[in-house]
Amino acid sequence: MRAALVTEYRKLVTTRLWWVLLASMAAYMAFLAGVMAFALAQDPESIGGPPGAGPGAPMTPEQVAGTIYTLATSLGYVFPVVVGALSMTGEFRHQTITPSLLAEPRRTVLLGAKMLSSVVVGLLFGLVGTGATVGAGAATLALLGEPTYLSDPAVLRSAGLSVLALAVWTVVGVGFGTWLTNQVVVIVVLLAFTQFVEPVLRLVLGQFAWAEGISKYLPGAAGEAITGSSFYADSGMAAGLLPSWAGLLVLLGYAVLFAVLGRLTSLRRDIT
């Protein structure tokens, strides 16, 4: 297992794709954090409530800081999940899955090694993504004379858990890429779901009392629940969150579900 772990880790970090996505994530998160910090500090009611429902309740300064520092789990988790997915789909796209299975014929071990090795890269994405939002967000708040809450234990805890959530998203990506191995289709599906489908679903389901509970179990909502802070929930655009531990279990459940589906389908077929 150790040899498989080392091999899969080297596969991840010896390509240029991961650090290109990492740099893109850092720049994107810093930009969003700066813009959001400016907007929310100037008008805490500027983002809130569903379309047509008027401004929502103003966010407290602590909510503003927490929301900005955890933006990576609300709006930037697509980067680690794509990196995780490409680690498996790349094997099929470039036909390297054949020599990989010749070196490690135990397919469950191969899959497990990919998922475990992705945690290291996922933690790096978590550190960089969260660091970018905290750095740019806190700098903007400080320039505007607003409290940054950088010494507040609750806010710092949410930021720290954001790193964990983004690492788990990488593992979810590996599982999803194992189930759906077409690289182009995977990227399209992930972008569409994370950037459009789930946000709309959370907004719509949050408008009905009977559906609020369902929206909390969607993957993006589960990832936000880990941090205990949410751009969508704090701004009033979506329902509340599960407890932090429940969010972690739900997101890990998605990773296991996709991995099992992939093991029983893509990795069960004959591969030549």
Side-chain angles (χ1 to χ4, degrees):
M1 184 64 179
R2 182 179 181 279
L5 275 171
V6 173
T7 300
E8 296 306 323
Y9 173 75
R10 287 176 177 169
K11 285 181 187 175
L12 274 171
V13 298
T14 50
T15 63
R16 284 178 291 184
L17 181 64
W18 74 273
W19 64 261
V20 171
L21 286 174
L22 185 67
S24 301
M25 181 184 188
Y28 181 52
M29 288 297 100
F31 172 75
L32 280 184
V35 171
M36 291 295 295
F38 181 82
L40 292 176
Q42 295 298 311
D43 182 6
E45 299 180 19
S46 59
I47 301 175
M59 298 170 69
T60 65
E62 185 176 0
Q63 281 182 315
V64 169
T67 298
I68 293 167
Y69 298 161
T70 58
L71 270 178
T73 55
S74 299
L75 303 174
Y77 64 89
V78 68
F79 291 95
V81 77
V82 164
V83 167
L86 294 184
S87 71
M88 182 59 89
T89 59
E91 297 266 20
F92 286 88
R93 180 176 177 83
H94 302 292
Q95 297 297 311
T96 56
I97 188 66
T98 302
S100 293
L101 288 176
L102 287 173
E104 178 48 80
R106 296 171 296 178
R107 300 186 178 193
T108 302
V109 172
L110 176 72
L111 175 56
K114 278 193 179 295
M115 297 181 80
L116 290 175
S117 62
S118 73
V119 172
V120 179
V121 177
L123 287 172
L124 182 59
F125 271 77
L127 286 170
V128 171
T130 304
T133 58
V134 172
T140 305
L141 290 175
L143 287 173
L144 295 172
E146 298 291 332
T148 61
Y149 289 92
L150 285 179
S151 59
D152 186 287
V155 174
L156 292 178
R157 178 179 179 274
S158 292
L161 290 173
S162 172
V163 177
L164 172 64
L166 292 170
V168 177
W169 269 115
T170 313
V171 182
V172 174
V174 176
F176 189 71
T178 306
W179 180 37
L180 191 60
T181 57
N182 186 299
Q183 196 168 79
V184 176
V185 174
V186 163
I187 292 174
V188 171
V189 169
L190 287 176
L191 288 175
F193 186 81
T194 60
Q195 306 302 303
F196 178 71
V197 175
E198 176 163 350
V200 172
L201 271 178
R202 290 179 66 182
L203 192 152
V204 172
L205 293 176
Q207 306 312 306
F208 304 98
W210 60 268
E212 279 189 7
I214 299 174
S215 69
K216 296 178 183 179
Y217 288 88
L218 292 172
E224 286 188 319
I226 295 174
T227 70
S229 184
S230 164
F231 165 72
Y232 294 104
D234 292 344
S235 62
M237 290 192 290
L241 301 171
L242 295 169
S244 182
W245 62 267
L248 177 60
L249 290 179
V250 170
L251 197 57
L252 284 172
Y254 278 107
V256 173
L257 174 64
F258 290 139
V260 170
L261 289 173
R263 179 64 184 86
L264 296 177
T265 54
S266 307
L267 289 183
R268 191 177 182 184
R269 303 188 187 107
D270 291 336
I271 296 174
T272 58

